[in-house]
Amino acid sequence: MNLQDAINVLKEKGYKTTGKRKDILEFFASEDGYRPAKDLIVHLENKYGTISFDTIYRNLHLYHDLGILEKTDLEGEKHFRLSCSHHHHHHFICTDCGKTKEIDICPMDTATAELTNYEIDDHKFEIYGRCPACLNA
Amino acid sequence: MNLQDAINVLKEKGYKTTGKRKDILEFFASEDGYRPAKDLIVHLENKYGTISFDTIYRNLHLYHDLGILEKTDLEGEKHFRLSCSHHHHHHFICTDCGKTKEIDICPMDTATAELTNYEIDDHKFEIYGRCPACLNA
DNA sequence: TTGTAAATAGGAATGATTACGATTTTGTGA
DNA sequence: TCACAAAATCGTAATCATTCCTATTTACAA
C-alpha cells in the first residue's frame, strides 16, 4: 500500500481527501515501521502549530477500518503502519526505532488444526528485538 | 505455575507474603484466562470494600517481573494470567470470555533463520476468536 | 457559485495506569 | 515475646492515551 493507493481507496469509498488526510498518509509513507499517534501529532504540529486529537484519532481509525493502516498494541499505546497488502506475512519489530522486517512465516495453517470448533477471527505473530542499525548505533 | 509455586518464588526472593498478595494469586489461579486489572480490582473490592491502585499495579508488575504472571496488551488494556511454566507454547484467546487454549506450535525456530544480525528479545503468537463455550451461549 | 454533508477545532471527559507522602504490616533478631 | 526497620499498603492526585462533544470550517457535487 503506497500513498496513491491509499488516496484511491479514500476516493472510491466517498471520503474527502483533505490536506490533513494526505499529510497523515505521507507521514506513514515516509516511515517504514510502527509509529504511535504521538509521533503523528508531533509531525503535524510542526506543520500546523496545532492539531486536534479528534482529527488524529478519527483518521487513524478510518484508515485502519479501510485496511490502509495496520495496528498493533505496544506497551499501552496503539502503533500504526501502512498496510503491506501484497501478501500475508508478519513482522519483526525493532523496540528501539519501530522499524519492521517482514517475516514470511505464518504458523496459522498448522495451528488451526488444534482449534476445531473454535471461531478464529484474527491472529498476531510478532517478533521483538533490535535491528542491525540500532545494534550498531 | 500454581498458587504454591508462586508463593515459594515470593519467599525465595525475599518478598513478603501478605494477605493481598495471596488473594491476587488466588484470583488468577481461579481463572484460566487473561484478565485485566479491572477484574482484579472488582474481585478485591468485594472482599475488602476498597483497594489501592498502588497495591494492584505494584503487585501485577512484581509478579510479571518474577515470571509468575504473563502479560498481553489487548485493546489498550494490559491483561494477565498465571504463567504456564511447564513448556514453551502460545495461546488462543477468546475475545468474549478471555479463556485461553494452548497452541503447541512455535514458529520461532524457522523464523530466526530470516533474522540473522538481529537481536531477538521476545515474540508473541496469539490467535483471537471465540471458544466453543461462547459460541454455544 | 452555492448548499450540505463531512471534516476539523478546541477543549472537556474518560479510563487505565503511575506517582507519592502518610500509615500500617511483615518478618527478623534481640 | 517484643520492638524495629524495611517493605507493603492506603488514599488520592497526577499523568497519559484516547474518546466525546459542539461549534465552525471545508470539500465537492449540482
Side-chain angles (χ1 to χ4, degrees):
Chain A
M1 179 82 61
N2 62 33
L3 186 59
Q4 194 52 53
D5 291 341
I7 290 173
N8 291 342
V9 172
L10 270 187
K11 292 196 170 156
E12 278 164 25
K13 302 276 183 175
Y15 291 97
K16 296 181 176 172
T17 57
T18 67
K20 277 163 189 163
R21 284 204 169 135
K22 285 183 203 157
D23 291 334
I24 293 172
L25 292 172
E26 279 164 14
F27 170 76
F28 284 108
S30 74
E31 303 280 341
D32 69 339
Y34 280 101
R35 310 277 19 137
K38 197 191 324 179
D39 287 11
L40 177 59
I41 291 171
V42 168
H43 175 79
L44 290 177
E45 281 181 344
N46 285 340
K47 179 164 184 183
Y48 293 101
T50 172
I51 185 81
S52 174
F53 290 141
D54 207 3
T55 302
I56 298 287
Y57 288 103
R58 185 170 23 74
N59 286 316
L60 287 176
H61 291 165
L62 173 65
Y63 287 153
H64 182 247
D65 290 346
L66 293 178
I68 292 171
L69 292 181
E70 292 176 32
K71 180 177 70 168
T72 192
D73 262 315
L74 297 174
E75 353 229 298
E77 245 181 323
K78 278 153 193 137
H79 288 59
F80 299 86
R81 56 162 290 137
L82 275 188
S83 289
C84 316
S85 42
H86 46 301
H87 71 293
H88 181 75
H89 63 263
H90 295 280
H91 285 119
F92 166 90
I93 301 175
C94 177
T95 49
D96 273 7
C97 69
K99 289 211 169 91
T100 55
K101 181 184 192 309
E102 294 186 12
I103 302 296
D104 283 320
I105 288 163
C106 181
M108 281 308 285
D109 34 349
T110 38
T112 51
E114 299 187 38
L115 291 168
T116 48
N117 302 319
Y118 285 71
E119 174 186 299
I120 296 174
D121 298 326
D122 197 9
H123 68 281
K124 175 183 283 195
F125 172 39
E126 286 176 347
I127 304 174
Y128 311 103
R130 288 194 293 160
C131 69
C134 287
L135 284 174
N136 290 330
Chain B
M1 178 82 61
N2 62 34
L3 185 60
Q4 195 52 54
D5 290 340
I7 290 173
N8 289 343
V9 171
L10 271 187
K11 290 195 172 160
E12 278 163 25
K13 302 276 183 175
Y15 291 98
K16 296 181 176 173
T17 57
T18 67
K20 277 162 190 162
R21 284 205 168 136
K22 285 182 201 158
D23 290 332
I24 293 172
L25 293 172
E26 279 164 14
F27 170 77
F28 284 108
S30 73
E31 304 280 340
D32 69 340
Y34 279 101
R35 311 276 20 136
K38 197 191 325 181
D39 287 12
L40 177 59
I41 291 171
V42 167
H43 175 79
L44 290 177
E45 282 181 344
N46 284 340
K47 178 164 181 182
Y48 293 102
T50 174
I51 184 83
S52 174
F53 291 139
D54 206 6
T55 303
I56 298 287
Y57 288 104
R58 185 169 23 73
N59 286 316
L60 287 175
H61 291 165
L62 174 64
Y63 287 154
H64 182 247
D65 291 346
L66 292 178
I68 292 171
L69 292 181
E70 293 176 32
K71 178 177 70 167
T72 192
D73 262 316
L74 298 173
E75 351 229 300
E77 243 181 323
K78 279 155 193 136
H79 288 59
F80 299 86
R81 59 161 290 136
L82 275 188
S83 289
C84 315
S85 41
H86 47 303
H87 71 293
H88 181 75
H89 63 263
H90 296 280
H91 286 120
F92 167 91
I93 301 175
C94 178
T95 49
D96 273 7
C97 69
K99 287 210 170 92
T100 55
K101 182 185 190 310
E102 293 187 12
I103 303 294
D104 281 321
I105 288 163
C106 181
M108 282 308 284
D109 33 351
T110 39
T112 52
E114 298 187 38
L115 291 168
T116 49
N117 301 321
Y118 285 71
E119 174 187 299
I120 296 173
D121 298 326
D122 197 8
H123 67 282
K124 175 184 282 196
F125 173 39
E126 286 175 346
I127 304 175
Y128 311 103
R130 289 193 293 161
C131 68
C134 287
L135 285 174
N136 291 330

